[in-house]
């Protein structure tokens, strides 16, 4: 039996799973994991926590399209606010208009995500548009508080570093690769898409390498985006 869009709770459950996994793994890594640079587990956990950080932002992004809790705008906004805040204190209300501006004016001068240039200038332009001074202050305060209770090594490797790496993951796969270069006039979304490979598409950036498909069908949540890939 088909689930009506307004009664579809799958997005809420998936968002909860991401938040619980991110929180639970972070607590374990801060309190119980002994870092060894000779152990592959250390690097595996860094990558896994990075992926979960990216999942927080992707969830906030889906909330901007009202697809986390369809038909429940207050809950949808609450989930978006929480997941954005957990990702380095991003403020959902500030991100929301910028993201819709990106969709309306994709790859133009009015697009806050777009920059005519190579990777690094574009990346720093991207950060400048989205990072505020109060975020930096809150991150600095949190860093100094966490190191009072947990190993400095664990705080840096599993709280700070994955957040930084996740910005690269989101930018590279979700902005730079799909929007770089010139796009033909018959491409209304000025976006490319990665080759069909659902496993890599999920691992790389929660299917957002299928970026033309996202711009073409922004009503699809990340976990259904693969269905739009021909």
């Amino acid at each position: 039996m088909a689930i009506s869009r307004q009664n579809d709770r799958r997005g809420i459950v998936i968002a909860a799973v991401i938040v619980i996994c991110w929180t639970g793994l972070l607590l374990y890594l801060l309190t119980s994991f002994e870092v060894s640079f000779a152990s592959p587990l250390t690097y595996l956990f860094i990558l896994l926590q990075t992926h979960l950080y990216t999942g927080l932002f992707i969830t906030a992004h889906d909330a901007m399209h009202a697809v986390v809790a369809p038909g429940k705008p207050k809950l949808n906004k609450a989930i978006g606010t929480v997941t954005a805040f957990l990702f380095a204190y991003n403020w959902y209300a500030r991100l929301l208009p910028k993201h819709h501006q990106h969709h309306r004016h994709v790859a133009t001068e009015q697009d806050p995500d777009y920059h005519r240039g190579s990777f690094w200038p574009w990346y720093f332009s991207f950060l400048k548009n989205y990072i505020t001074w109060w975020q930096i202050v809150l991150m600095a305060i949190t860093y100094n508080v966490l190191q009072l209770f947990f190993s400095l090594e664990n705080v840096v490797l599993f709280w700070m570093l994955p957040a930084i790496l996740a910005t690269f993951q989101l930018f590279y796969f979700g902005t730079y690769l799909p929007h770089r270069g010139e796009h033909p006039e018959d491409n209304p979304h000025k976006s490319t898409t990665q080759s069909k490979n659902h496993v890599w598409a999920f691992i790389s950036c929660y299917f957002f390498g299928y970026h033309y498909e996202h711009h073409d069908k922004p009503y699809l949540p990340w976990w259904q985006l693969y269905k739009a890939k021909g």
Side-chain angles (χ1 to χ4, degrees), residues 154-167:
N154 291 53
V155 171
V156 171
L157 289 177
F158 303 124
W159 177 73
M160 180 182 293
L161 181 60
I164 296 170
L165 293 176
T167 66

Side-chain angles (χ1 to χ4, degrees), residues 1-5 7-8 10:
M1 181 182 296
I3 302 174
S4 72
R5 189 171 184 272
N7 294 323
D8 191 346
R10 290 175 294 176

Side-chain angles (χ1 to χ4, degrees), residues 157-209:
L157 289 177
F158 303 124
W159 177 73
M160 180 182 293
L161 181 60
I164 296 170
L165 293 176
T167 66
F168 278 98
Q169 185 176 2
L170 288 160
F171 173 72
Y172 185 72
F173 292 104
T175 297
Y176 178 72
L177 283 184
H179 294 303
R180 65 177 176 169
E182 297 297 324
H183 300 281
E185 291 184 4
D186 61 352
N187 182 336
H189 306 304
K190 297 183 175 64
S191 307
T192 57
T193 183
Q194 71 178 64
S195 299
K196 185 176 181 179
N197 184 323
H198 295 333
V199 173
W200 174 241
F202 169 71
I203 292 173
S204 61
C205 199
Y206 293 78
F207 300 115
F208 270 83

Side-chain angles (χ1 to χ4, degrees), residues 127-175:
L127 292 183
K128 186 175 67 175
N129 271 320
Y130 286 99
I131 293 180
T132 62
W133 282 109
W134 67 266
Q135 282 178 265
I136 296 173
V137 170
L138 286 174
M139 289 290 285
I141 292 171
T142 305
Y143 168 79
N144 282 285
V145 170
L146 287 176
Q147 69 171 322
L148 295 176
F149 300 96
F150 309 112
S151 162
L152 176 60
E153 203 169 49
N154 291 53
V155 171
V156 171
L157 289 177
F158 303 124
W159 177 73
M160 180 182 293
L161 181 60
I164 296 170
L165 293 176
T167 66
F168 278 98
Q169 185 176 2
L170 288 160
F171 173 72
Y172 185 72
F173 292 104
T175 297

Side-chain angles (χ1 to χ4, degrees), residues 15-16 18-20 22-23 53 55-57 59-61 63 74-93 95:
I18 290 173
V19 171
I20 291 169
W22 177 85
T23 305
Y53 258 110
L56 291 176
F57 196 89
T59 301
H61 163 273
K74 289 184 179 179
L75 178 58
N76 185 84
K77 181 181 178 181
I79 293 172
T81 300
V82 169
T83 50
F85 196 72
L86 289 176
F87 192 115
Y89 299 109
N90 280 286
W91 189 239
Y92 178 81
L95 297 176

